[in-house]
């Protein structure tokens, strides 16, 4: 019987036997013992499943992977050492030199750099679509060598709510999968597979961990995409490094995620550490409680900022004045995230003064954890971008990104009130 998301968060996908640890244990071992050479051989040939080396699989990671797959409603998941590694592997699992990806431009700065510079240098090309792109414009961006579409469900930092169904239509009419980064809403607020996405990625470093203690990433496979169009020989033709295994034949619906692990993780090795997977699991156990509270606090603070005459603009998809309010109601009806952005009248200088005057909200290079924080993207996370690139990804020079935490909302409001009084 399938369980509710709250139950999956608390104790999903880990069932201890008699006398075993109640809490998912940290299996701090790189290696696992076998008595028979034949069994070990079968593991190597992918004819049996089991643990033999932590770069490929580990019991702590396995439990957390299954939990995240269940939360998203997918057939399998793979943890990675960071969100960056998840984005990198999600693309390179199905794209080779000479291939092309249609990608939203308003994505996280780190992902943009990875695609625009590093993956381009490796021969994979990208066409970046502005948030205002219509369905016709997205359709026109496809080329004969397009192998995937990539976007974020709720973009970091510009808070664009993506029309997931529209992107899925465009991808599927070209026989390629839609890959979405669902870091900000988390599966508590948005389950992209229900709207046609095929692969989901996460930076688990954000709300999933939620306490700002462990970097991590995840890739989740819906199992819904049909790889047999001839577009994906890496999945439908023999892999000689596994004695000619054909992933789609041997692993069916889990072909993509199995290949990500047995091929890419084997060769590239960006595995999450068991200790980090354990910490991530502690975060996941309360995700269903924390996310709604982040959203409630964020909405209250966004409304307060909107009412201040010292604030030029407020961007929060939960505000009725927001351009993405309707899309947010459709794709994230219970709330978007705890991230709000706003501009201070008087630009850069006043923005800096406001940030320095805040006492509870700290200036940090992080978002989406339980402590309220502020950041000026144009001079930090997005500083390597040109003004034009900044504009394309929805970041203006006066923008402050506010990540609303789980403190008492009255204390947060008082903190912003006193800081605004000082500018
Ligand atoms: C932070 C972030 C990433 C990168 O994740 P790391 O864990 O920092 O490597 C990718 N996508 C989004 C939307 C993010 O917010």
């Amino acid at each position: 019987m399938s369980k509710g998301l709250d139950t999956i968060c608390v104790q999903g996908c880990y069932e201890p036997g008699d006398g075993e640890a109640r809490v998912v244990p940290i299996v701090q071992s790189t290696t696992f013992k076998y008595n028979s050479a034949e069994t070990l051989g079968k593991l190597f040939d992918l004819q049996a499943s089991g643990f033999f080396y932590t770069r490929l699989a580990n019991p702590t990671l396995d439990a957390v992977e299954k939990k995240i797959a269940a939360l998203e409603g997918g057939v399998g998941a793979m943890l990675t050492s960071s969100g960056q590694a998840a984005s990198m592997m999600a693309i390179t699992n199905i794209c080779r030199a000479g291939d092309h990806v249609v990608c939203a431009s308003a994505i996280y700065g780190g992902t943009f750099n990875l695609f625009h510079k590093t993956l381009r240098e490796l021969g994979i090309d990208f066409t970046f679509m502005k948030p205002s792109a219509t369905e016709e414009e997205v359709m026109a961006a496809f080329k004969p060598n397009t192998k995937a579409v990539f976007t974020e469900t709720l973009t970091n930092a510009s808070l664009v709510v993506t029309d997931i169904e529209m992107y899925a239509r465009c991808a599927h009419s070209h026989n390629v999968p839609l890959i979405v980064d669902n870091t900000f809403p988390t599966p508590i607020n948005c389950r992209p597979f229900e709207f046609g996405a095929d692969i989901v990625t996460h930076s688990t470093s954000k709300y999933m961990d939620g306490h700002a203690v462990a970097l991590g990433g995840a890739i989740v496979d819906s199992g819904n995409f049909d790889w047999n169009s001839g577009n994906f020989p890496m999945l439908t033709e023999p892999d000689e490094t596994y004695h000619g295994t054909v992933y789609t034949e041997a692993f069916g619906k889990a072909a993509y995620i199995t290949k990500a692990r047995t091929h890419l993780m084997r060769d590239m090795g960006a595995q999450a550490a068991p200790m980090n997977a354990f910490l991530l699991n502690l975060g996941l156990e309360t995700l269903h409680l924390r996310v709604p509270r982040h959203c409630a606090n964020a909405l209250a603070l966004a409304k307060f900022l909107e009412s201040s005459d010292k604030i030029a603009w407020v961007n929060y998809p939960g505000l009725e004045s927001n351009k993405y309010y309707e899309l947010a109601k459709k794709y994230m009806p219970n709330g978007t995230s705890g991230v709000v952005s706003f501009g201070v009248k008087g630009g850069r200088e006043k923005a800096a003064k406001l940030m320095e005057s805040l006492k509870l909200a700290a200036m940090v290079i992080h978002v989406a954890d339980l402590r309220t924080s502020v950041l000026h993207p144009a001079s930090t996370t997005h500083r390597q971008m040109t003004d034009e690139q900044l504009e394309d990804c929805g970041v203006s020079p006066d923008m402050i990104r506010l990540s609303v935490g789980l403190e008492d909302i009255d204390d947060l409001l008082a903190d912003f009130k006193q800081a605004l009084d000082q500018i």
Side-chain angles (χ1 to χ4, degrees), residues 159 294-308 311 313-322 336-342 402 404 409 412-413 416 420:
L159 305 176
H294 277 290
C295 293
N297 277 1
L299 184 60
L301 211 45
K303 283 182 174 163
F304 167 75
L305 290 169
E306 200 174 41
S307 72
S308 165
I311 299 295
W313 54 269
V314 180
N315 178 15
Y316 186 66
L319 291 173
E320 273 175 55
S321 60
N322 193 274
T336 51
S337 78
V339 181
V340 177
S341 61
F342 62 94
L402 162 64
V404 184
I409 186 61
L412 290 174
L413 291 169
F416 275 82
L420 282 168

Side-chain angles (χ1 to χ4, degrees), residues 82-84 108 111 152 156 181 183-184 203 205-206 215-216:
S82 68
Q84 286 298 106
Y108 173 66
T111 312
E152 289 172 8
N156 177 7
D181 179 333
T183 296
F184 266 22
S203 165
S205 322
K206 312 292 164 52
L215 279 185

Side-chain angles (χ1 to χ4, degrees), residues 102 127 129-143 163 166-167 169-171 173-174:
V102 173
T127 299
M129 309 306 304
K130 293 186 179 182
S132 59
T134 62
E135 185 157 354
E136 290 67 39
E137 286 168 330
V138 176
M139 292 289 265
F142 283 80
K143 301 177 181 186
D163 190 343
M166 183 269 268
Y167 271 92
R169 271 197 304 278
C170 295
S173 71
H174 291 85

